[in-house]
Amino acid sequence: MKTGPFAFEAAGDPKAPPLLFLHGIGGAARAWRHQLAYFGNHFRATAWDMPGYGGSAPLANVSIAALADALQEFLQQTTTAKPILVGHSIGGMIVQQWLTRHKTDAHAVVLAQTSPAFGKADGDWQKSFIAARLGPLDRGETMASLAPSLVKELVGDDPDADGMALARDCMASVPAASYRAMMLALIGFDQRNALKDIAVPTLLLSGSKDNNAPAPMMAKMAGYVPAARYVELAGVGHLANLERPDAFNEALSGFLNSVAPTTATNAP
């Protein structure tokens, strides 16, 4: 589906409570298809293609702040009020940034395998992280050629085969320019001081084998968010909804059943 500059996928009654999924740097709206099918019976479950991905137009200048503004534009164009936002990785950063200007405009949020900060451009870890991910493109590789190794590095123990095929397909289809822009947008992101101001019910979801958003860091992050709930999935890497879709859905369902609007029936 398409609205304005945004492409998205959706399932469920348009009048049902809205549940919006935001993918990560290597993802796409279709990365959430298992969740759309699962939660579409009880919510208006939607997943966007982030600007520059799939059928969504790229931004002229990419930053986490600009992506948060794009999220607000998407919500307005789809007439989505009081959504439950599920942000994975950079999607979770976008949600954090969006909350700084829309503190009570979400019904609840899920910060999945994400971080409250990336750090300074001149930090050794940050420079190494960016170089490791953009260096192969600089040397002539393509997203399609890199997809198998990139996905393999992200996952934990015994990932779902179908989920991994979808993860590789999503990664391979990311435009190289968008991948570069999103990686560089991470530099300088820092919402650590804003965690205490999150004013809506929040689930922080981690994977014990996630090297990009390590579980100990996410557990510490949860300690700064008022009344946050923290769930760690054992053996899972950075792509929980694709690696272990059933475990991810179960964790999300438990949270949704405690916070979902009264107009929604219980999640599966």
Side-chain angles (χ1 to χ4, degrees):
M1 288 184 249
K2 188 92 172 178
T3 179
F6 303 103
F8 64 98
E9 297 191 7
D13 186 344
K15 296 180 180 179
L19 176 64
L20 175 60
F21 296 91
L22 296 90
H23 63 80
I25 286 179
R30 65 183 181 278
W32 297 106
R33 283 179 179 168
H34 197 288
Q35 284 69 45
L36 297 185
Y38 188 82
F39 291 103
N41 290 329
H42 302 274
F43 295 88
R44 175 59 170 178
T46 303
W48 79 341
D49 277 325
M50 187 163 55
Y53 285 64
S56 291
L59 299 175
N61 296 291
V62 179
S63 66
I64 303 297
L67 290 163
D69 288 343
L71 170 59
Q72 179 63 15
E73 182 183 354
F74 177 77
L75 293 173
Q76 291 171 340
Q77 292 204 0
T78 54
T79 60
T80 301
K82 282 284 185 178
I84 297 172
L85 300 174
V86 182
H88 171 254
S89 196
I90 196 173
M93 294 178 175
I94 295 169
V95 170
Q96 292 175 68
Q97 184 77 45
W98 180 86
L99 282 171
T100 64
R101 295 183 63 182
H102 306 276
K103 295 185 184 299
T104 60
D105 288 352
H107 186 83
V109 299
V110 178
L111 303 177
Q113 304 180 283
T114 191
S115 169
F118 185 78
K120 298 179 180 179
D122 58 354
D124 290 340
W125 182 87
Q126 287 81 5
K127 288 190 290 187
S128 176
F129 181 93
I130 296 296
R133 283 150 183 80
L134 298 187
L137 292 176
D138 295 336
R139 294 190 291 272
E141 294 274 7
T142 66
M143 291 304 296
S145 66
L146 289 170
S149 60
L150 287 174
V151 170
K152 185 177 180 180
E153 291 171 2
L154 291 173
V155 302
D157 302 332
D158 302 317
D160 178 79
D162 290 339
M164 291 304 90
L166 180 53
R168 290 188 293 271
D169 177 67
C170 289
M171 185 74 77
S173 70
V174 176
S178 295
Y179 187 80
R180 286 179 182 276
M182 296 300 168
M183 281 292 175
L184 295 175
L186 298 175
I187 296 173
F189 175 77
D190 191 342
Q191 289 295 319
R192 287 174 292 186
N193 290 335
L195 294 175
K196 67 183 185 305
D197 299 321
I198 294 179
V200 297
T202 304
L203 170 66
L204 287 95
L205 182 63
S206 75
S208 69
K209 296 292 185 73
D210 188 346
N211 294 321
N212 282 12
M217 178 276 294
M218 288 208 68
K220 183 178 179 180
M221 179 181 174
Y224 291 98
V225 179
R229 179 182 300 188
Y230 174 74
V231 174
E232 182 177 320
L233 299 179
V236 174
H238 191 60
L239 304 178
N241 68 298
L242 292 165
E243 294 178 57
R244 304 277 184 85
D246 292 340
F248 181 92
N249 292 350
E250 181 179 355
L252 182 53
S253 291
F255 177 68
L256 294 179
N257 285 337
S258 69
V259 303
T262 55
T263 52
T265 55
N266 285 349

